[in-house]
Amino acid sequence: MKNKISNRDRILDAGLHTVHRLGFGGASVRDIVEAAGVPQGSFTNHFASKEAFGLEILDIYFGRHRELLEQTLRNDALAPLARLRAYLQANRERAVREGVENGCLFGNLMGEAIDHHEAIRLRLLEIVGDLRRALAQCLTAAVKAGELAKSVDSGPVAEFIVSGLQGATLLAKTQRSMVPMERFEQVLFGMVLGRPDLLKQGARRAGVLTAA
């Protein structure tokens, strides 16, 4: 006999999709419970606030992204730069699967929720830190394997990739097109990773590195 899905799980599952589609501010509690097919009182029975609910769906979304990190950036069966390409490809596939017009839940919440929900802002900072570390470890492995120049500084480059990918995803959402994400990967591999001098210059301008 299959376990019955609880109202709480229904709200989280339907609510994640609803917030991803309508935005955190745009999705009302009524929208969420209607999508879940549960009484409106169920929401307040299970979540102390909309912010508490937002933190839970954020963790669910990141849990899925963490699986992607294990399959790509942390997959030792692949060469380091192949891991990075696999990660970027997986992000494109996710965008197609979830709807390019919906963007990335991380970026969406960064744009609309952080001014009013400090707990969500802090959780997003933790998530970005995890993403940056996974990318930096992959880039360090690429340097050790001779796939990148020894002068490449993995930390600032990882920061650049996180920022660039979020920006490309936002443009893709705006344009309703995968082209910005595809172009980001082309520029990253075709120009940026092969020019560590440009990376250092860009990092200094952004205040990531101090001038030598």
Side-chain angles (χ1 to χ4, degrees):
M1 183 177 178
K2 293 183 179 179
N3 292 330
K4 184 178 179 181
I5 301 175
S6 69
N7 281 353
R8 189 177 194 281
D9 288 339
R10 290 180 188 276
I11 293 170
L12 287 170
D13 181 61
L16 192 159
H17 294 292
T18 303
V19 169
H20 198 179
R21 181 170 57 87
L22 299 179
F24 190 71
S28 67
V29 171
R30 181 184 295 276
D31 292 326
I32 292 167
V33 296
E34 285 183 354
V38 301
Q40 185 155 346
S42 294
F43 189 94
T44 52
N45 287 342
H46 294 292
F47 304 99
S49 64
K50 191 178 178 185
E51 179 181 81
F53 164 78
L55 287 169
E56 291 211 36
I57 63 170
L58 182 55
D59 280 344
I60 292 171
Y61 192 80
F62 183 54
R64 297 170 184 173
H65 201 87
R66 190 182 287 115
E67 293 177 6
L68 185 151
L69 294 177
E70 296 300 324
Q71 295 164 4
T72 58
L73 295 178
R74 296 184 174 131
N75 184 357
D76 291 338
L78 298 175
L81 288 187
R83 297 177 215 167
L84 179 55
R85 285 191 182 276
Y87 175 70
L88 295 175
Q89 179 180 345
N91 273 275
R92 293 198 309 275
E93 291 172 352
R94 174 206 55 76
V96 171
R97 185 172 61 252
E98 297 177 356
V100 65
E101 71 279 3
N102 293 324
C104 170
L105 186 63
F106 302 145
N108 293 350
L109 289 174
M110 288 176 196
E112 68 161 333
I114 60 173
D115 289 338
H116 308 289
H117 300 280
E118 181 68 3
I120 290 178
R121 184 185 74 84
L122 294 175
R123 182 65 184 121
L124 284 166
L125 285 176
E126 293 174 350
I127 288 171
V128 168
D130 285 346
L131 297 178
R132 188 170 56 242
R133 282 189 291 275
L135 284 161
Q137 290 165 3
C138 181
L139 292 166
T140 297
V143 172
K144 290 181 179 178
E147 293 184 327
L148 290 176
K150 291 182 179 179
S151 56
V152 170
D153 191 336
S154 298
V157 180
E159 184 87 35
F160 167 81
I161 294 173
V162 171
S163 301
L165 183 56
Q166 280 299 323
T169 303
L170 182 59
L171 278 175
K173 175 180 179 178
T174 304
Q175 297 177 11
R176 304 292 197 266
S177 168
M178 294 301 298
V179 170
M181 297 181 73
E182 294 166 354
R183 191 167 292 148
F184 171 73
E185 181 175 351
Q186 292 166 1
V187 172
L188 176 66
F189 281 94
M191 299 176 64
V192 177
L193 291 179
R195 292 292 305 277
D197 56 320
L198 293 181
L199 285 170
K200 287 189 175 183
Q201 290 173 21
R204 288 194 182 106
R205 292 193 189 101
V208 178
L209 295 175
T210 57

